[in-house]
């Protein structure tokens, strides 16, 4: 199934894999990080500095939209030089991909749940995930950063993974399908005004949640190290 997905993905990239063509940069619509414009380009907290980095590094690129849960499989397949926008750097991903320097740092993650749910009225995140029958919602293949991922892995099987976006995930929380989700506050602030029933939601900040994760450009191993360095040099002048 996965191999068919990857083959099909490359088949729909017109001329994008020729050495003379711009490198494809996978992206999806997720305001305020990546927001599609009317002309098909992207802007946002992460997309804008990524565009500037490629331009300043002198590396031609093209935004290529793809479902977020397919990005890492395409990078891992390494059939051609290709990159993706704004991923967290983890040890597992370093085994099959190259990362640039941080392009953006999130604010510390918040817990979002229903205010009438007693399970979220605890003192720490570790206490929250240690409760019986608590259920956390997360996108498929998502990482919340190594420290939070490790906390979750040590806990009971609390995570329900779905292939939906953050707005739909918040709707699921409102409707009581799961108890809570994790997200950066800048994303929550953007989405909250688009939600019917948002008054039932509550955000919690916990002292044992670490500083926000850094987002990077992630590229396949066949993307040259020299080009990663060019991007890093450009990023250092942006930041």
């Amino acid at each position: 199934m996965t191999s068919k997905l990857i083959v099909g993905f490359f088949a729909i990239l017109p001329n994008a894999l020729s050495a003379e063509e711009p490198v494809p940069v996978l992206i999806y619509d997720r305001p305020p990080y990546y927001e599609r414009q009317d002309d098909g380009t992207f802007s946002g907290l992460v997309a804008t500095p990524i565009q500037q980095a490629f331009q300043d590094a002198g590396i031609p690129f093209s935004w290529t939209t793809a479902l977020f849960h397919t990005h890492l499989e395409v990078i891992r397949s390494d059939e051609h030089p290709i990159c993706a926008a704004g991923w967290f750097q983890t040890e597992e991903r370093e085994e099959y991909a190259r990362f640039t320097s941080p392009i953006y740092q999130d604010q510390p993650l918040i817990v979002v749940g229903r205010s009438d749910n007693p399970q979220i009225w605890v003192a720490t995140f570790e206490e929250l995930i240690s409760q019986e029958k608590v259920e956390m919602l997360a996108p498929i293949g998502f990482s919340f950063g190594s420290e939070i991922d490790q906390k979750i892995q040590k806990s009971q099987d609390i995570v329900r993974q779905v292939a939906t976006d953050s707005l739909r995930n918040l709707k699921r929380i409102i409707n009581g399908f799961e108890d809570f989700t994790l997200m950066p506050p800048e994303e929550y602030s953007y989405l909250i005004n688009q939600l019917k029933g948002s008054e039932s939601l509550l955000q919690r900040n916990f002292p044992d949640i670490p500083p926000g994760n850094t987002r990077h450009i992630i590229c396949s191993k066949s993307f040259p190290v020299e080009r990663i360095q060019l991007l890093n040099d450009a990023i250092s002048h942006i930041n």
Side-chain angles (χ1 to χ4, degrees), residues 13-35:
L13 287 178
N15 301 321
L17 306 177
S18 166
E20 292 75 26
E21 292 293 326
V23 60
V25 178
L26 304 180
I27 197 166
Y28 63 102
D29 201 29
R30 186 189 175 190
Y33 303 108
Y34 330 106
E35 191 163 7

Side-chain angles (χ1 to χ4, degrees), residues 64-184:
T64 303
T65 55
L67 296 174
F68 75 90
H69 61 273
T70 67
H71 289 200
L72 295 182
E73 287 304 321
V74 173
I75 295 291
R76 188 197 298 266
S77 72
D78 198 19
E79 295 188 18
H80 304 276
I82 192 166
C83 299
W87 285 83
F88 298 160
Q89 186 169 357
T90 66
E91 290 185 3
E92 184 217 351
R93 293 170 184 173
E94 287 174 345
E95 293 178 1
Y96 61 82
R98 305 189 195 280
F99 286 84
T100 66
S101 301
I103 197 77
Y104 180 81
Q105 180 166 15
D106 289 357
Q107 298 175 36
L109 292 169
I110 57 171
V111 165
V112 180
R114 287 179 57 96
S115 58
D116 61 358
N117 183 350
Q119 288 180 300
I120 70 168
W121 291 99
V122 291
T124 66
F125 180 71
E126 195 155 347
E127 185 180 351
L128 171 65
I129 62 177
S130 297
Q131 297 176 97
E132 291 186 7
K133 298 182 179 179
V134 69
E135 194 167 42
M136 171 181 158
L137 183 63
I140 292 173
F142 219 64
S143 169
F144 296 101
S146 58
E147 188 170 337
I148 292 295
D149 288 347
Q150 288 170 14
K151 286 180 182 289
I152 293 170
Q153 288 168 7
K154 290 178 182 178
S155 183
Q156 52 193 348
D157 187 18
I158 67 166
V159 179
R160 177 177 175 82
Q161 294 189 320
V162 291
T164 56
D165 59 28
S166 296
L167 184 63
R168 291 186 181 91
N169 287 350
L170 289 176
K171 290 178 180 177
R172 291 181 64 90
I173 300 298
I174 289 173
N175 292 323
F177 291 115
E178 287 82 24
D179 297 303
F180 73 94
T181 190
L182 279 167
M183 64 173 50

Side-chain angles (χ1 to χ4, degrees), residues 100 169 172 174 182 190 205 208 218 220 225-226 228:
T100 66
N169 287 350
R172 291 181 64 90
I174 289 173
L182 279 167
Y190 180 88
N205 303 86
D208 57 337
I218 182 175
S220 60
V225 174
E226 295 78 12
I228 292 289

